[in-house]
Amino acid sequence: GTRIIYDRKFLLECKNSP
Amino acid sequence: QELLLAESLGKHPLQNRWALWFFKNDKSKVWQANLRLVTKFSTVEDFWALYSHIQLASKLTSGCDYSLFKDGIEPMWEDSQNKRGGRWLITLAKQQRHTELDRFWLETLLCLIGEMFDDYSDEVCGAVINIRAKGDKIALWTRDAENQEGVTHIGRVYKEHLGLSQKVTIGYQAHADTATKSGSLAKTKFVV
């Protein structure tokens, strides 16, 4: 199946999102 | 089902559920009694909630470890999913605790939960950070030390994410070799 991949930039943006 | 639940809560599901473990060296107890499961998480948001809540690795006392492993794999080489594997080992100089340790560990965690190793992400078991007076260590554990292609791909990607210079090399040791020899004497199987 497909793998759920996140890049570094996206993961760091999630940290700062409310 | 879990994926649908995460999305319904506006969270971003991870490919794997991960378990964070904490080890505190208490010589009055056996090794396993000092190893505690902190929590498990399976979304990006729950990872950050946990990360923000716990102490930075550089603030831990000597003798402590954090480990992050895929759910179902215990952070010890005896685990059936680890025992044929090995680790990419980053050995830090004492002064790097204050300059690079926390950044290296966070980059390691992001590589794991983001599944950043392409087709070889399934080879990854977890990662361990050891806080030690003589020098801290970070290791990325994979499941099959004989999978040269997978191990070296993971090593190259990992090194790039840590931002290490091409002049620096990192080594991979099989757990089977580490288990029979003391620390620095374990032979290095691969280098990137």
Side-chain angles (χ1 to χ4, degrees):
Chain A
T2 51
R3 185 188 303 281
I4 306 171
I5 295 169
Y6 297 110
D7 65 19
R8 179 182 186 277
K9 183 168 172 280
F10 179 83
L11 291 172
L12 289 167
E13 280 169 4
C14 284
K15 184 188 183 187
N16 301 318
S17 65
Chain B
Q1 231 173 358
E2 197 173 356
L3 203 134
L4 288 174
L5 177 64
E7 285 176 344
S8 73
L9 294 169
K11 295 180 177 182
H12 295 87
L14 298 172
Q15 174 69 29
N16 283 286
R17 179 188 283 138
W18 296 87
L20 180 77
W21 300 76
F22 178 65
F23 176 85
K24 189 173 170 64
N25 192 17
D26 177 346
K27 292 193 171 100
S28 69
K29 295 179 185 162
V30 295
W31 187 84
Q32 284 93 337
N34 289 326
L35 181 67
R36 295 290 166 86
L37 173 66
V38 178
T39 193
K40 297 180 182 182
F41 59 87
S42 53
T43 69
V44 178
E45 287 73 12
D46 290 349
F47 162 73
W48 284 120
L50 173 64
Y51 183 80
S52 309
H53 183 71
I54 60 172
Q55 277 215 313
L56 285 172
S58 62
K59 305 286 183 219
L60 296 176
T61 54
S62 284
C64 290
D65 304 337
Y66 280 137
S67 301
L68 188 78
F69 275 74
K70 286 176 180 170
D71 187 20
I73 308 180
E74 295 195 311
M76 52 186 79
W77 65 264
E78 296 93 332
D79 188 285
S80 64
Q81 296 188 73
N82 288 324
K83 67 181 179 189
R84 282 176 296 279
R87 59 179 184 169
W88 282 109
L89 182 62
I90 313 292
T91 309
L92 291 100
K94 280 183 190 177
Q95 64 271 23
Q96 285 179 288
R97 183 180 295 176
H98 305 289
T99 55
E100 279 159 318
L101 183 75
D102 292 323
R103 181 176 70 79
F104 281 175
W105 180 235
L106 179 58
E107 294 299 336
T108 305
L109 298 176
L110 297 182
C111 285
L112 296 184
I113 67 169
E115 307 278 331
M116 294 185 193
F117 301 103
D118 307 299
D119 291 344
Y120 298 107
S121 284
D122 288 340
E123 287 289 310
V124 172
C125 293
V128 183
I129 183 166
N130 307 123
I131 305 302
R132 301 290 183 271
K134 61 185 176 184
D136 306 321
K137 290 180 198 169
I138 297 177
L140 194 156
W141 289 31
T142 74
R143 69 176 72 243
D144 180 8
E146 298 306 317
N147 183 347
Q148 180 169 0
E149 197 180 313
V151 169
T152 52
H153 181 82
I154 289 167
R156 278 190 214 105
V157 171
Y158 185 41
K159 188 177 156 182
E160 190 185 318
H161 278 271
L162 294 180
L164 298 178
S165 140
Q166 290 197 332
K167 284 179 248 171
V168 176
T169 59
I170 58 172
Y172 183 91
Q173 302 162 347
H175 296 314
D177 291 337
T178 310
T180 53
K181 297 175 189 79
S182 68
S184 57
L185 295 173
K187 71 175 177 192
T188 298
K189 203 172 164 74
F190 305 114
V191 171
V192 294

